[in-house]
Amino acid sequence: MTGESLPGRPGNLTAEEEVKLKELWVATLEIFGVLDKDAVDEAEPTPGVARVDSKKPKKKRLAMFRSKDKGEDGKPEKKKKGSEEEDKYGQGKQAQDVLASVPPETLRLSFWSMVKHDHPDALLLRFLRARKWDVDKALSMFLSTMRWRLDFHVDDDIMKHGDLGALEDSKNENDAAKQKLSTDFLTQLRLGKSFLHGTDKQGRPMCFVRVRLHRQGEQSEESLERYTVYIIESARMILAPPIDTACVVFDMTGFTLANMDNAPVKFMIQCFEANYPESLGVVLIHKAPWVFQGIWKLIRGWLDPVVAGKVHFTNDQKQMEEFVASSHIIKELEGDENWEYAYNEPIPGENDKMKDTATRDKLLEHRKTIVDEFEAATLEWIHDAENEALKTKRNEIANRLREDYWNLDPYLRARSHYDRTGLINPGGKLQFYPEKPAEPTPEAAAAPVTTSADDLD
């Protein structure tokens, strides 16, 4: 990697792309109740932001979606299946529902929770790139994703509860459903059905999926989905500019038809296409047997053509070396790196900071002041997008948001295997190839216990 930002990212936008970004910010801040649309209309005209007659009544939030599906005669326009206009996941309707049912402040808080350590522009740009810079479609996708995160309780349950919470629930005999869900979740972590390790030649974090370890019906569908989101969100934590995508390796060694399961495959596809746009850099399907050829034709039909274009088949180490340095190919895949996955069990006390709600609330209040600063600077930038000093100011505030998040992180996110093994370190420092295992945290009551697939039936 050269360390340079890729096209369509913060700091590397064309003039037209910057206009689209500003338009999306205008719509977003209006929805959040931060921006008075009349204030934009009455300001000096700005390229890319439509001027509206200020004498007209201010449109309601739903108005921006009302005429999307109508033809010139005002009647609903029938869409052709397979056309670019087809809404594969019904995100337009979901966006309307969000605007009609979710309070503006809830959407605002959900957005800033989703940002985490990311540059706010970078997050919105993902949706713009995914929708080919169509602002309305990007906004629909963005709102749909926020509703999905709220409904799926990504931040306030899956990542907050974490490994240790699952371990505690797995011992709860008073709630059989919760015990089953948590046991299934932990089983997948201990097996290493999926895990994060190392980087490819482009510096992208790698996620390995050992397909042979999955058998239909062994874990509940809910636990499979929870586990999938947990792995994807964990991968988000190890993305740092200019790297904003991952390399996913499907290890097909030992694959049989018994390992094929449509439901989790479709859920994973929907996650990446609908809720984590522009997150895949490359997908490697390694050592796929001949029986997979027919299955791939089926799966390819489920994929967006852009996603399908990122898929490559590799059959041996030499072919994989086109994407991953030989020294970074793990020995399990016949590479040179002497490393194997072993799950580090949760340590009692590792999440004690999450109990300190007073400190958490102080940190959240401090973060709110930085968020307010960023939104205020964005409003200035909307009215004066050519002002280089404003652009610099916004980026400086975005960097402060990134640093601030890592102060807050241990109060919001449960520690994971990747914290315990030293991949994710305090302050968000990443070590993809730690020379030795991370030392136990000071509050740990016991040394880490590791579990690998060989330890499980």
Side-chain angles (χ1 to χ4, degrees):
M1 282 296 296
T2 63
E4 296 178 357
S5 178
L6 294 170
R9 272 72 169 180
N12 195 10
L13 299 176
T14 66
E16 293 78 10
E17 289 168 350
E18 187 167 329
V19 165
K20 296 294 186 181
L21 175 61
K22 185 166 70 168
E23 289 178 352
L24 185 53
W25 267 116
V26 168
T28 299
L29 293 178
E30 184 188 357
I31 288 168
F32 291 171
V34 173
L35 172 64
D36 184 345
K37 188 64 163 62
D38 287 343
V40 176
D41 298 336
E42 293 168 5
E44 287 299 315
T46 307
V49 180
R51 183 78 179 247
V52 180
D53 186 353
S54 61
K55 294 180 180 179
K56 294 181 180 179
K58 187 164 62 175
K59 296 180 180 180
K60 295 181 180 179
R61 292 191 296 155
L62 280 173
M64 65 186 74
F65 293 104
R66 279 186 181 145
S67 61
K68 281 188 176 9
D69 301 325
K70 293 183 179 180
E72 293 180 0
D73 58 358
K75 295 181 180 180
E77 187 175 8
K78 192 172 182 181
K79 295 177 182 178
K80 295 180 181 180
K81 188 174 181 181
S83 71
E84 289 186 359
E85 295 298 319
E86 185 181 11
D87 189 351
K88 183 176 180 180
Y89 297 106
Q91 292 178 323
K93 177 64 165 61
Q94 291 170 21
Q96 292 182 39
D97 292 343
V98 168
L99 292 177
S101 61
V102 183
E105 185 61 17
T106 300
L107 290 173
R108 180 175 179 247
L109 292 174
S110 177
F111 169 73
W112 287 109
S113 175
M114 179 168 55
V115 168
K116 292 184 169 52
H117 59 298
D118 210 347
H119 191 306
D121 284 355
L123 183 57
L124 290 186
L125 285 166
R126 287 182 182 275
F127 294 95
L128 282 168
R129 295 197 306 273
R131 291 296 173 259
K132 298 179 175 61
W133 302 94
D134 184 308
V135 176
D136 289 339
K137 291 180 182 178
L139 182 61
S140 291
M141 186 184 199
F142 167 63
L143 290 171
S144 174
T145 294
M146 285 200 291
R147 164 50 69 88
W148 176 83
R149 292 182 71 88
L150 288 168
D151 291 347
F152 220 82
H153 299 283
V154 175
D155 294 320
D156 62 353
D157 180 16
I158 294 177
M159 303 310 292
K160 182 179 179 180
H161 206 58
D163 307 20
L164 185 57
L167 181 61
E168 292 167 350
D169 285 344
S170 71
K171 300 174 182 177
N172 182 4
E173 297 181 356
N174 296 322
D175 190 332
K178 185 177 288 187
Q179 184 181 41
K180 165 67 173 170
L181 178 65
S182 298
T183 299
D184 286 353
F185 178 78
L186 282 171
T187 296
Q188 295 175 88
L189 281 172
R190 288 165 173 160
L191 278 171
K193 185 183 290 186
S194 301
F195 58 85
L196 308 172
H197 177 72
T199 58
D200 68 4
K201 285 184 174 180
Q202 300 301 314
R204 296 174 293 214
M206 290 191 290
C207 175
F208 295 86
V209 182
R210 299 193 283 190
V211 183
R212 66 183 178 278
L213 297 182
H214 176 76
R215 288 182 177 272
Q216 186 174 3
E218 286 189 344
Q219 287 92 35
S220 69
E221 185 171 334
E222 183 180 358
S223 76
L224 290 168
E225 292 182 353
R226 190 179 181 91
Y227 178 72
T228 299
V229 172
Y230 180 81
I231 293 294
I232 296 174
E233 281 291 317
S234 296
R236 279 193 70 200
M237 304 310 296
I238 60 174
L239 293 176
I243 306 301
D244 62 358
T245 60
C247 167
V248 180
V249 180
F250 287 90
D251 177 13
M252 305 296 289
T253 305
F255 173 85
T256 68
L257 291 177
N259 304 124
M260 183 57 193
D261 192 353
N262 288 358
V265 172
K266 286 184 174 180
F267 179 77
M268 188 183 303
I269 292 171
Q270 181 169 348
C271 280
F272 283 115
E273 291 188 354
N275 302 311
Y276 295 94
E278 297 290 303
S279 294
L280 289 174
V282 66
V283 177
L284 305 180
I285 299 180
H286 190 62
K287 288 194 171 181
W290 67 268
V291 72
F292 185 70
Q293 293 178 8
I295 296 172
W296 169 241
K297 290 180 181 179
L298 176 67
I299 294 174
R300 188 181 180 91
W302 299 338
L303 294 172
D304 180 279
V306 174
V307 175
K310 297 178 180 180
V311 177
H312 301 267
F313 284 80
T314 58
N315 295 314
D316 53 36
Q317 180 182 354
K318 185 176 181 180
Q319 290 181 354
M320 182 168 277
E321 284 179 16
E322 294 179 26
F323 304 93
V324 186
S326 59
S327 59
H328 289 173
I329 299 176
I330 57 178
K331 65 178 182 179
E332 184 176 321
L333 300 182
E334 301 178 352
D336 297 336
E337 187 188 1
N338 186 22
W339 182 92
E340 60 183 353
Y341 177 83
Y343 176 66
N344 275 34
E345 294 286 332
I347 302 169
E350 68 181 8
N351 296 326
D352 279 355
K353 284 188 176 181
M354 299 181 75
K355 300 175 184 177
D356 185 358
T357 56
T359 300
R360 178 203 65 193
D361 290 346
K362 288 180 181 177
L363 290 169
L364 284 170
E365 188 62 30
H366 178 258
R367 184 167 181 79
K368 181 180 180 299
T369 63
I370 306 177
V371 166
D372 290 345
E373 279 188 62
F374 187 85
E375 289 179 341
T378 299
L379 291 174
E380 290 184 76
W381 170 69
I382 285 170
H383 293 296
D384 190 5
E386 301 305 315
N387 190 322
E388 292 299 324
L390 281 177
K391 295 179 183 179
T392 300
K393 179 181 178 180
R394 289 182 75 249
N395 286 328
E396 288 174 349
I397 300 172
N399 288 335
R400 284 166 52 204
L401 277 169
R402 178 182 180 84
E403 294 172 1
D404 178 76
Y405 170 77
W406 289 110
N407 294 328
L408 185 59
D409 178 71
Y411 296 88
L412 298 180
R413 181 182 65 89
R415 302 302 86 183
S416 70
H417 166 77
Y418 304 104
D419 297 275
R420 293 189 288 274
T421 56
L423 170 51
I424 303 174
N425 295 282
K429 294 180 175 60
L430 304 174
Q431 180 59 269
F432 287 99
Y433 298 97
E435 295 181 1
K436 62 180 181 179
E439 294 295 326
T441 54
E443 63 269 27
V449 176
T450 60
T451 307
S452 68
D454 293 337
D455 299 322
L456 303 172
D457 294 331

